Amino acid sequence: MKQPKSKLLSVIGNLDIAVASLTLLVLIALTCYGVIMRYVIGQPLTWLEEVQTACMVWIVFGAGGAAFRTGSHVAIEMVVELFPKKVQKVFDILISAVVIAVIGYLFYQSIGFINMFVKSGRSTSMLKIPFTVIYGMAPVSYVLMIISYFYAIITGTKSEVKEAIGE
């Protein structure tokens, strides 16, 4: 029997989804406001593109871990499923090793990327938003992706396709 999760753990476990969702709402609202300002009022917002770009980065990286937890990442399983079950298990281990290695590499590279922005002090041209704020979500997201990946493995989360066909 599965233990019910505490409300606090549930909130913390879905914080990345909340951040990505809130950022998406901000992006939609600002884009609508920008359309009204440009085409109805005739006063385009010069800073809007900077905020939209930052929102897109935060949405993508914010939802990355959640995609692992829920089995929502794209997976082409057709070839692997042609093999016997024992060979499929070997593929699962190899795929897990590759996923962890790639995310680890991306994490390592993102730290260098962020350090470059810290040293240079670069920021956006209009609003002067530091690039460390915009892209600082990347290393955090990679850590959450690894945690979520292990969580999905431990809990046996299936891909959405497998759940849809009843496997």
Side-chain angles (χ1 to χ4, degrees), residues 70-122:
T70 60
S72 300
H73 274 295
V74 174
I76 303 171
E77 300 163 337
M78 183 175 65
V79 174
V80 174
E81 290 175 354
L82 294 173
F83 291 99
K85 291 287 183 195
K86 288 183 180 180
V87 176
Q88 288 181 22
K89 295 223 183 263
V90 171
F91 272 112
D92 287 342
I93 292 168
L94 289 173
I95 289 168
S96 293
V98 169
V99 166
I100 292 166
V102 168
I103 294 173
Y105 176 76
L106 291 172
F107 172 78
Y108 176 76
Q109 292 297 319
S110 70
I111 295 297
F113 191 62
I114 298 301
N115 281 336
M116 178 185 67
F117 287 133
V118 168
K119 289 177 185 173
S120 70
R122 284 189 57 201

Side-chain angles (χ1 to χ4, degrees), residues 14-75:
N14 292 312
L15 195 56
D16 51 357
I17 295 172
V19 168
S21 299
L22 181 63
T23 308
L24 179 61
L25 288 174
V26 168
L27 176 64
I28 291 168
L30 284 176
T31 301
C32 291
Y33 179 65
V35 168
I36 292 167
M37 291 300 293
R38 176 178 295 269
Y39 296 109
V40 176
I41 306 212
Q43 298 286 325
L45 304 171
T46 56
W47 51 267
L48 186 59
E49 184 180 353
E50 291 179 0
V51 177
Q52 288 172 319
T53 301
C55 285
M56 291 297 290
V57 169
W58 274 66
I59 291 166
V60 168
F61 283 111
F68 275 112
R69 267 195 325 280
T70 60
S72 300
H73 274 295
V74 174

Side-chain angles (χ1 to χ4, degrees), residues 113-138:
F113 191 62
I114 298 301
N115 281 336
M116 178 185 67
F117 287 133
V118 168
K119 289 177 185 173
S120 70
R122 284 189 57 201
S123 60
T124 60
S125 59
M126 299 297 281
L127 296 176
K128 304 297 182 205
I129 301 169
F131 281 116
T132 53
V133 171
I134 296 172
Y135 295 106
M137 183 62 166

